[in-house]
Amino acid sequence: MSMSRSSNPTELLYGPLHFTMLMTWVGLYRFMSYQGIVIMSSMIGDGIAPLAASCVQNSHTYRIRPLGGIKSWEGSVGVCIGTVFAIYTFSYALGMEVLRSGDIVMFGVLASLVEAASPGRFDNLSLTVLMDFSFEK
């Protein structure tokens, strides 16, 4: 028995392994920062996407070419809402000042777009890199 959705053990090399390595990196290098909050929140949103898509019987699918996999509109909305909700939650939990509402919504939309356009198994890596680079340095 494996922890993958398709019972394919190689699937574990992508999603959970990438997620664990990226969260370790965030904990070491972006702890208690807004970049860390946004990156972790986008991962929460990415995790909510399949749940949001499964709540609808006939989900509406699309694909952003050339790299993007088949995604659902419901899942993309789930990424956006999950990211926005998680940014507020992490900000309050860490006792940090909450970002402006417009910025939070922008990060939610950006997370949805990045997740939709990212190559199949590399969405966690794409989200982390692009959300980190979305901040002014």
PDB file of all heavy atoms in Angstrom, residues 82-109:
ATOM      1  N   GLY A  82      -8.134  29.133  -1.223  1.00  0.00           N
ATOM      2  CA  GLY A  82      -7.298  28.507  -0.195  1.00  0.00           C
ATOM      3  C   GLY A  82      -6.062  29.312   0.124  1.00  0.00           C
ATOM      4  O   GLY A  82      -5.670  29.447   1.286  1.00  0.00           O
ATOM      5  N   THR A  83      -5.441  29.890  -0.907  1.00  0.00           N
ATOM      6  CA  THR A  83      -4.250  30.712  -0.698  1.00  0.00           C
ATOM      7  C   THR A  83      -4.598  31.972   0.083  1.00  0.00           C
ATOM      8  O   THR A  83      -3.902  32.335   1.041  1.00  0.00           O
ATOM      9  CB  THR A  83      -3.607  31.074  -2.050  1.00  0.00           C
ATOM     10  OG1 THR A  83      -3.237  29.869  -2.728  1.00  0.00           O
ATOM     11  CG2 THR A  83      -2.376  31.939  -1.854  1.00  0.00           C
ATOM     12  N   VAL A  84      -5.678  32.640  -0.300  1.00  0.00           N
ATOM     13  CA  VAL A  84      -6.087  33.872   0.391  1.00  0.00           C
ATOM     14  C   VAL A  84      -6.407  33.575   1.854  1.00  0.00           C
ATOM     15  O   VAL A  84      -5.931  34.271   2.769  1.00  0.00           O
ATOM     16  CB  VAL A  84      -7.293  34.510  -0.331  1.00  0.00           C
ATOM     17  CG1 VAL A  84      -7.930  35.596   0.516  1.00  0.00           C
ATOM     18  CG2 VAL A  84      -6.869  35.054  -1.682  1.00  0.00           C
ATOM     19  N   PHE A  85      -7.199  32.532   2.097  1.00  0.00           N
ATOM     20  CA  PHE A  85      -7.562  32.172   3.467  1.00  0.00           C
ATOM     21  C   PHE A  85      -6.327  31.806   4.293  1.00  0.00           C
ATOM     22  O   PHE A  85      -6.194  32.212   5.449  1.00  0.00           O
ATOM     23  CB  PHE A  85      -8.557  31.011   3.448  1.00  0.00           C
ATOM     24  CG  PHE A  85      -9.002  30.567   4.806  1.00  0.00           C
ATOM     25  CD1 PHE A  85      -9.886  31.316   5.547  1.00  0.00           C
ATOM     26  CD2 PHE A  85      -8.499  29.389   5.357  1.00  0.00           C
ATOM     27  CE1 PHE A  85     -10.275  30.919   6.820  1.00  0.00           C
ATOM     28  CE2 PHE A  85      -8.880  28.978   6.618  1.00  0.00           C
ATOM     29  CZ  PHE A  85      -9.772  29.739   7.354  1.00  0.00           C
ATOM     30  N   ALA A  86      -5.398  31.063   3.693  1.00  0.00           N
ATOM     31  CA  ALA A  86      -4.200  30.634   4.424  1.00  0.00           C
ATOM     32  C   ALA A  86      -3.274  31.809   4.729  1.00  0.00           C
ATOM     33  O   ALA A  86      -2.626  31.827   5.776  1.00  0.00           O
ATOM     34  CB  ALA A  86      -3.461  29.554   3.631  1.00  0.00           C
ATOM     35  N   ILE A  87      -3.201  32.797   3.841  1.00  0.00           N
ATOM     36  CA  ILE A  87      -2.366  33.970   4.130  1.00  0.00           C
ATOM     37  C   ILE A  87      -2.889  34.685   5.363  1.00  0.00           C
ATOM     38  O   ILE A  87      -2.117  35.054   6.256  1.00  0.00           O
ATOM     39  CB  ILE A  87      -2.301  34.921   2.911  1.00  0.00           C
ATOM     40  CG1 ILE A  87      -1.462  34.304   1.792  1.00  0.00           C
ATOM     41  CG2 ILE A  87      -1.714  36.276   3.319  1.00  0.00           C
ATOM     42  CD1 ILE A  87      -1.478  35.095   0.493  1.00  0.00           C
ATOM     43  N   TYR A  88      -4.210  34.894   5.432  1.00  0.00           N
ATOM     44  CA  TYR A  88      -4.786  35.517   6.622  1.00  0.00           C
ATOM     45  C   TYR A  88      -4.522  34.664   7.867  1.00  0.00           C
ATOM     46  O   TYR A  88      -4.115  35.178   8.913  1.00  0.00           O
ATOM     47  CB  TYR A  88      -6.300  35.722   6.452  1.00  0.00           C
ATOM     48  CG  TYR A  88      -6.670  36.926   5.639  1.00  0.00           C
ATOM     49  CD1 TYR A  88      -7.264  36.796   4.392  1.00  0.00           C
ATOM     50  CD2 TYR A  88      -6.433  38.208   6.116  1.00  0.00           C
ATOM     51  CE1 TYR A  88      -7.614  37.900   3.643  1.00  0.00           C
ATOM     52  CE2 TYR A  88      -6.778  39.324   5.378  1.00  0.00           C
ATOM     53  CZ  TYR A  88      -7.361  39.165   4.138  1.00  0.00           C
ATOM     54  OH  TYR A  88      -7.696  40.261   3.399  1.00  0.00           O
ATOM     55  N   THR A  89      -4.730  33.364   7.757  1.00  0.00           N
ATOM     56  CA  THR A  89      -4.561  32.460   8.902  1.00  0.00           C
ATOM     57  C   THR A  89      -3.126  32.451   9.399  1.00  0.00           C
ATOM     58  O   THR A  89      -2.869  32.581  10.600  1.00  0.00           O
ATOM     59  CB  THR A  89      -5.011  31.035   8.527  1.00  0.00           C
ATOM     60  OG1 THR A  89      -6.370  31.081   8.079  1.00  0.00           O
ATOM     61  CG2 THR A  89      -4.895  30.099   9.700  1.00  0.00           C
ATOM     62  N   PHE A  90      -2.164  32.286   8.483  1.00  0.00           N
ATOM     63  CA  PHE A  90      -0.752  32.252   8.897  1.00  0.00           C
ATOM     64  C   PHE A  90      -0.309  33.601   9.461  1.00  0.00           C
ATOM     65  O   PHE A  90       0.476  33.644  10.412  1.00  0.00           O
ATOM     66  CB  PHE A  90       0.154  31.857   7.730  1.00  0.00           C
ATOM     67  CG  PHE A  90       0.149  30.391   7.420  1.00  0.00           C
ATOM     68  CD1 PHE A  90       0.034  29.946   6.120  1.00  0.00           C
ATOM     69  CD2 PHE A  90       0.269  29.432   8.420  1.00  0.00           C
ATOM     70  CE1 PHE A  90       0.038  28.597   5.816  1.00  0.00           C
ATOM     71  CE2 PHE A  90       0.269  28.086   8.140  1.00  0.00           C
ATOM     72  CZ  PHE A  90       0.157  27.667   6.827  1.00  0.00           C
ATOM     73  N   SER A  91      -0.788  34.702   8.877  1.00  0.00           N
ATOM     74  CA  SER A  91      -0.400  36.020   9.387  1.00  0.00           C
ATOM     75  C   SER A  91      -0.859  36.200  10.830  1.00  0.00           C
ATOM     76  O   SER A  91      -0.093  36.659  11.682  1.00  0.00           O
ATOM     77  CB  SER A  91      -0.981  37.126   8.507  1.00  0.00           C
ATOM     78  OG  SER A  91      -0.454  37.070   7.215  1.00  0.00           O
ATOM     79  N   TYR A  92      -2.107  35.844  11.088  1.00  0.00           N
ATOM     80  CA  TYR A  92      -2.614  35.964  12.457  1.00  0.00           C
ATOM     81  C   TYR A  92      -1.918  34.980  13.391  1.00  0.00           C
ATOM     82  O   TYR A  92      -1.582  35.319  14.526  1.00  0.00           O
ATOM     83  CB  TYR A  92      -4.132  35.746  12.499  1.00  0.00           C
ATOM     84  CG  TYR A  92      -4.917  36.907  11.957  1.00  0.00           C
ATOM     85  CD1 TYR A  92      -5.780  36.743  10.876  1.00  0.00           C
ATOM     86  CD2 TYR A  92      -4.807  38.178  12.516  1.00  0.00           C
ATOM     87  CE1 TYR A  92      -6.503  37.813  10.371  1.00  0.00           C
ATOM     88  CE2 TYR A  92      -5.526  39.246  12.029  1.00  0.00           C
ATOM     89  CZ  TYR A  92      -6.369  39.058  10.953  1.00  0.00           C
ATOM     90  OH  TYR A  92      -7.079  40.122  10.459  1.00  0.00           O
ATOM     91  N   ALA A  93      -1.690  33.755  12.942  1.00  0.00           N
ATOM     92  CA  ALA A  93      -1.062  32.742  13.792  1.00  0.00           C
ATOM     93  C   ALA A  93       0.372  33.109  14.156  1.00  0.00           C
ATOM     94  O   ALA A  93       0.822  32.812  15.263  1.00  0.00           O
ATOM     95  CB  ALA A  93      -1.088  31.380  13.096  1.00  0.00           C
ATOM     96  N   LEU A  94       1.082  33.748  13.225  1.00  0.00           N
ATOM     97  CA  LEU A  94       2.472  34.133  13.492  1.00  0.00           C
ATOM     98  C   LEU A  94       2.575  35.514  14.138  1.00  0.00           C
ATOM     99  O   LEU A  94       3.677  35.963  14.463  1.00  0.00           O
ATOM    100  CB  LEU A  94       3.288  34.107  12.199  1.00  0.00           C
ATOM    101  CG  LEU A  94       3.473  32.722  11.582  1.00  0.00           C
ATOM    102  CD1 LEU A  94       4.170  32.833  10.234  1.00  0.00           C
ATOM    103  CD2 LEU A  94       4.261  31.826  12.514  1.00  0.00           C
ATOM    104  N   GLY A  95       1.447  36.194  14.312  1.00  0.00           N
ATOM    105  CA  GLY A  95       1.455  37.500  14.957  1.00  0.00           C
ATOM    106  C   GLY A  95       2.072  38.587  14.098  1.00  0.00           C
ATOM    107  O   GLY A  95       2.597  39.565  14.616  1.00  0.00           O
ATOM    108  N   MET A  96       2.003  38.417  12.791  1.00  0.00           N
ATOM    109  CA  MET A  96       2.574  39.403  11.875  1.00  0.00           C
ATOM    110  C   MET A  96       1.465  40.296  11.330  1.00  0.00           C
ATOM    111  O   MET A  96       0.299  39.907  11.280  1.00  0.00           O
ATOM    112  CB  MET A  96       3.302  38.699  10.732  1.00  0.00           C
ATOM    113  CG  MET A  96       4.494  37.877  11.216  1.00  0.00           C
ATOM    114  SD  MET A  96       5.348  37.014   9.903  1.00  0.00           S
ATOM    115  CE  MET A  96       6.094  38.377   9.046  1.00  0.00           C
ATOM    116  N   GLU A  97       1.841  41.494  10.930  1.00  0.00           N
ATOM    117  CA  GLU A  97       0.871  42.408  10.350  1.00  0.00           C
ATOM    118  C   GLU A  97       0.355  41.814   9.042  1.00  0.00           C
ATOM    119  O   GLU A  97       1.118  41.293   8.233  1.00  0.00           O
ATOM    120  CB  GLU A  97       1.541  43.756  10.084  1.00  0.00           C
ATOM    121  CG  GLU A  97       0.605  44.810   9.597  1.00  0.00           C
ATOM    122  CD  GLU A  97       1.308  46.149   9.418  1.00  0.00           C
ATOM    123  OE1 GLU A  97       2.223  46.446  10.193  1.00  0.00           O
ATOM    124  OE2 GLU A  97       0.921  46.862   8.491  1.00  0.00           O
ATOM    125  N   VAL A  98      -0.938  41.899   8.832  1.00  0.00           N
ATOM    126  CA  VAL A  98      -1.556  41.330   7.636  1.00  0.00           C
ATOM    127  C   VAL A  98      -1.261  42.229   6.440  1.00  0.00           C
ATOM    128  O   VAL A  98      -1.311  43.454   6.544  1.00  0.00           O
ATOM    129  CB  VAL A  98      -3.077  41.170   7.841  1.00  0.00           C
ATOM    130  CG1 VAL A  98      -3.744  40.635   6.595  1.00  0.00           C
ATOM    131  CG2 VAL A  98      -3.352  40.271   9.026  1.00  0.00           C
ATOM    132  N   LEU A  99      -0.930  41.609   5.313  1.00  0.00           N
ATOM    133  CA  LEU A  99      -0.694  42.356   4.086  1.00  0.00           C
ATOM    134  C   LEU A  99      -1.979  43.049   3.637  1.00  0.00           C
ATOM    135  O   LEU A  99      -3.071  42.717   4.096  1.00  0.00           O
ATOM    136  CB  LEU A  99      -0.218  41.402   2.982  1.00  0.00           C
ATOM    137  CG  LEU A  99       1.118  40.708   3.204  1.00  0.00           C
ATOM    138  CD1 LEU A  99       1.316  39.610   2.171  1.00  0.00           C
ATOM    139  CD2 LEU A  99       2.249  41.713   3.120  1.00  0.00           C
ATOM    140  N   ARG A 100      -1.858  43.992   2.715  1.00  0.00           N
ATOM    141  CA  ARG A 100      -3.040  44.663   2.176  1.00  0.00           C
ATOM    142  C   ARG A 100      -3.925  43.651   1.460  1.00  0.00           C
ATOM    143  O   ARG A 100      -3.439  42.708   0.846  1.00  0.00           O
ATOM    144  CB  ARG A 100      -2.629  45.758   1.205  1.00  0.00           C
ATOM    145  CG  ARG A 100      -1.902  46.910   1.875  1.00  0.00           C
ATOM    146  CD  ARG A 100      -1.576  47.971   0.886  1.00  0.00           C
ATOM    147  NE  ARG A 100      -0.938  47.357  -0.293  1.00  0.00           N
ATOM    148  CZ  ARG A 100      -0.491  48.028  -1.322  1.00  0.00           C
ATOM    149  NH1 ARG A 100      -0.618  49.325  -1.361  1.00  0.00           N
ATOM    150  NH2 ARG A 100       0.083  47.417  -2.334  1.00  0.00           N
ATOM    151  N   SER A 101      -5.218  43.855   1.516  1.00  0.00           N
ATOM    152  CA  SER A 101      -6.171  42.913   0.914  1.00  0.00           C
ATOM    153  C   SER A 101      -5.933  42.738  -0.583  1.00  0.00           C
ATOM    154  O   SER A 101      -6.035  41.632  -1.112  1.00  0.00           O
ATOM    155  CB  SER A 101      -7.599  43.379   1.147  1.00  0.00           C
ATOM    156  OG  SER A 101      -7.893  43.363   2.521  1.00  0.00           O
ATOM    157  N   GLY A 102      -5.625  43.821  -1.277  1.00  0.00           N
ATOM    158  CA  GLY A 102      -5.355  43.734  -2.712  1.00  0.00           C
ATOM    159  C   GLY A 102      -4.158  42.849  -3.013  1.00  0.00           C
ATOM    160  O   GLY A 102      -4.157  42.087  -3.981  1.00  0.00           O
ATOM    161  N   ASP A 103      -3.116  42.961  -2.183  1.00  0.00           N
ATOM    162  CA  ASP A 103      -1.936  42.119  -2.374  1.00  0.00           C
ATOM    163  C   ASP A 103      -2.255  40.654  -2.109  1.00  0.00           C
ATOM    164  O   ASP A 103      -1.771  39.768  -2.809  1.00  0.00           O
ATOM    165  CB  ASP A 103      -0.798  42.567  -1.451  1.00  0.00           C
ATOM    166  CG  ASP A 103      -0.222  43.914  -1.853  1.00  0.00           C
ATOM    167  OD1 ASP A 103      -0.443  44.350  -3.004  1.00  0.00           O
ATOM    168  OD2 ASP A 103       0.436  44.547  -0.996  1.00  0.00           O
ATOM    169  N   ILE A 104      -3.074  40.406  -1.098  1.00  0.00           N
ATOM    170  CA  ILE A 104      -3.428  39.025  -0.762  1.00  0.00           C
ATOM    171  C   ILE A 104      -4.222  38.382  -1.898  1.00  0.00           C
ATOM    172  O   ILE A 104      -3.947  37.250  -2.298  1.00  0.00           O
ATOM    173  CB  ILE A 104      -4.208  38.975   0.572  1.00  0.00           C
ATOM    174  CG1 ILE A 104      -3.280  39.374   1.720  1.00  0.00           C
ATOM    175  CG2 ILE A 104      -4.808  37.601   0.806  1.00  0.00           C
ATOM    176  CD1 ILE A 104      -3.955  39.511   3.052  1.00  0.00           C
ATOM    177  N   VAL A 105      -5.176  39.119  -2.449  1.00  0.00           N
ATOM    178  CA  VAL A 105      -5.955  38.594  -3.576  1.00  0.00           C
ATOM    179  C   VAL A 105      -5.044  38.385  -4.786  1.00  0.00           C
ATOM    180  O   VAL A 105      -5.160  37.388  -5.510  1.00  0.00           O
ATOM    181  CB  VAL A 105      -7.135  39.534  -3.907  1.00  0.00           C
ATOM    182  CG1 VAL A 105      -7.817  39.124  -5.200  1.00  0.00           C
ATOM    183  CG2 VAL A 105      -8.124  39.547  -2.757  1.00  0.00           C
ATOM    184  N   MET A 106      -4.100  39.317  -5.011  1.00  0.00           N
ATOM    185  CA  MET A 106      -3.167  39.178  -6.124  1.00  0.00           C
ATOM    186  C   MET A 106      -2.340  37.904  -5.969  1.00  0.00           C
ATOM    187  O   MET A 106      -2.113  37.174  -6.939  1.00  0.00           O
ATOM    188  CB  MET A 106      -2.251  40.400  -6.194  1.00  0.00           C
ATOM    189  CG  MET A 106      -1.332  40.426  -7.400  1.00  0.00           C
ATOM    190  SD  MET A 106       0.394  39.936  -7.121  1.00  0.00           S
ATOM    191  CE  MET A 106       0.866  40.680  -5.615  1.00  0.00           C
ATOM    192  N   PHE A 107      -1.890  37.583  -4.753  1.00  0.00           N
ATOM    193  CA  PHE A 107      -1.132  36.353  -4.531  1.00  0.00           C
ATOM    194  C   PHE A 107      -2.010  35.124  -4.766  1.00  0.00           C
ATOM    195  O   PHE A 107      -1.531  34.105  -5.276  1.00  0.00           O
ATOM    196  CB  PHE A 107      -0.540  36.325  -3.119  1.00  0.00           C
ATOM    197  CG  PHE A 107       0.656  37.204  -2.954  1.00  0.00           C
ATOM    198  CD1 PHE A 107       0.695  38.154  -1.948  1.00  0.00           C
ATOM    199  CD2 PHE A 107       1.747  37.092  -3.787  1.00  0.00           C
ATOM    200  CE1 PHE A 107       1.793  38.972  -1.780  1.00  0.00           C
ATOM    201  CE2 PHE A 107       2.855  37.907  -3.635  1.00  0.00           C
ATOM    202  CZ  PHE A 107       2.879  38.858  -2.629  1.00  0.00           C
ATOM    203  N   GLY A 108      -3.286  35.198  -4.400  1.00  0.00           N
ATOM    204  CA  GLY A 108      -4.193  34.087  -4.657  1.00  0.00           C
ATOM    205  C   GLY A 108      -4.387  33.839  -6.144  1.00  0.00           C
ATOM    206  O   GLY A 108      -4.339  32.690  -6.613  1.00  0.00           O
ATOM    207  N   VAL A 109      -4.573  34.909  -6.900  1.00  0.00           N
ATOM    208  CA  VAL A 109      -4.739  34.778  -8.356  1.00  0.00           C
ATOM    209  C   VAL A 109      -3.438  34.283  -8.983  1.00  0.00           C
ATOM    210  O   VAL A 109      -3.451  33.410  -9.864  1.00  0.00           O
ATOM    211  CB  VAL A 109      -5.187  36.130  -8.967  1.00  0.00           C
ATOM    212  CG1 VAL A 109      -5.135  36.093 -10.482  1.00  0.00           C
ATOM    213  CG2 VAL A 109      -6.573  36.487  -8.473  1.00  0.00           C
TER     214      VAL A 109
END
